[in-house]
Amino acid sequence: QVDLVQSGGGSVQSGGSLRLSCQASGLTFSARYYTLTWFREVPGKEREGVALIDDIDRVVYAKSVKGRATISQEIANNTIHLDITNLKPEDTAFYYCAAYLGRTLSLLPSKYTYWGQGTQVTVSS
């Protein structure tokens, strides 16, 4: 099945930038429909969809990161990235990438069937 392996994350100061990456195995980007989405969670709050990209390069961003986040993909490497600039303390969360083997524009987590291991992002100041 699909395995999603995340990299990146860590601690950064407010105003800085960070790149998260998610590489898929068992999912060849050039061979099928797919949607890949970044989610984030903080204790006591609902999981939030942050950014979405699909196989035809449609993108969706949450209002909370619009203008600061960029989602992109490297089709040949089966990899997506999330770049966030002007990081804020409220960006602190545990970040996941997730896959749906079809096309959707939904940032709701219930649609997604494969999940990465997650990584912590902590923004200080």
Side-chain angles (χ1 to χ4, degrees):
Q1 293 286 7
V2 176
D3 187 32
L4 304 176
V5 179
Q6 298 177 220
S7 59
S11 298
V12 63
Q13 292 185 335
S14 295
S17 300
L18 191 69
R19 165 167 278 199
L20 304 178
S21 299
C22 176
Q23 184 167 30
S25 62
L27 195 178
T28 301
F29 284 10
S30 62
R32 64 166 302 139
Y33 302 163
Y34 61 85
T35 307
L36 291 161
T37 298
W38 291 96
F39 294 89
R40 63 188 183 186
E41 283 185 302
V42 298
K45 297 184 179 180
E46 294 183 350
R47 188 177 302 172
E48 178 188 24
V50 177
L52 173 158
I53 191 165
D54 71 7
D55 62 286
I56 54 173
D57 284 324
R58 299 186 299 177
V59 297
V60 178
Y61 295 101
K63 291 181 179 179
S64 57
V65 299
K66 195 178 298 291
R68 299 187 296 119
T70 302
I71 188 168
S72 60
Q73 61 185 329
E74 299 177 15
I75 294 174
N77 294 325
N78 298 321
T79 299
I80 63 166
H81 305 286
L82 179 67
D83 296 287
I84 308 178
T85 62
N86 192 23
L87 283 159
K88 306 175 184 296
E90 52 263 44
D91 294 318
T92 296
F94 201 75
Y95 284 73
Y96 298 91
C97 64
Y100 166 64
L101 300 186
R103 290 174 178 165
T104 183
L105 297 178
S106 176
L107 293 174
L108 297 177
S110 61
K111 177 65 71 172
Y112 296 82
T113 54
Y114 298 96
W115 293 82
Q117 80 276 22
T119 188
Q120 179 69 36
V121 173
T122 302
V123 183
S124 62
S125 182

